[in-house]
Amino acid sequence: MTAVWDSLVVDARDPSRLARWWAEALGYQVITDKPDEVEIRRTPDTLPGLVFVPASGPKAGKNRLHVDLRPTDQEAEVERLVDMGARHVDVGQGDVEWTVLADPEGNEFCVLRERAE
């Protein structure tokens, strides 16, 4: 028997706000919006989803798991995400081809270059 990846859970100080930010960033939709859980997915029937749950304190330290985004135009996507409230962060990545950003609550994620064929 194998398992199916259902969701990635993100602790958030404001789950509804952060879920809506990620929904806009990814072109997802809010599937569930309850005080203790907000879930977004590409479509209601498409897994995995991102589930945002309440956290009592601020994020501390670098994420041990992060999302990588691969847009068709890295520069334009970085600009769009920064305009939405993301910020550039340095996690010690050095000189690399991707850009490291943090969402409005400080969760790091990477914006990669278009995949070479």
Side-chain angles (χ1 to χ4, degrees), residues 7-72:
S7 57
L8 177 66
V9 179
V10 179
D11 291 345
R13 293 178 78 182
D14 186 341
S16 185
R17 178 176 166 258
L18 193 59
R20 290 180 193 295
W21 188 90
W22 276 101
E24 182 179 347
L26 298 171
Y28 279 29
Q29 53 189 283
V30 176
I31 303 303
T32 305
D33 190 351
K34 298 186 250 179
D36 62 337
E37 175 182 293
V38 182
E39 182 175 7
I40 65 172
R41 295 183 190 173
R42 183 172 304 281
T43 69
D45 298 327
T46 304
L47 294 176
L50 288 171
V51 177
F52 298 83
V53 298
S56 59
K59 177 184 165 298
K62 179 180 176 278
N63 291 2
R64 295 197 61 175
L65 177 70
H66 69 266
V67 175
D68 284 348
L69 305 178
R70 190 177 301 277
T72 55

Side-chain angles (χ1 to χ4, degrees), residues 65-104:
L65 177 70
H66 69 266
V67 175
D68 284 348
L69 305 178
R70 190 177 301 277
T72 55
D73 183 336
Q74 180 190 38
E75 186 176 320
E77 184 66 357
V78 167
E79 183 177 338
R80 181 182 80 88
L81 293 166
V82 168
D83 287 347
M84 287 176 50
R87 61 185 166 76
H88 290 267
V89 292
D90 183 347
V91 293
Q93 68 267 23
D95 185 23
V96 294
E97 292 184 353
W98 58 87
T99 300
V100 181
L101 298 176
D103 71 18

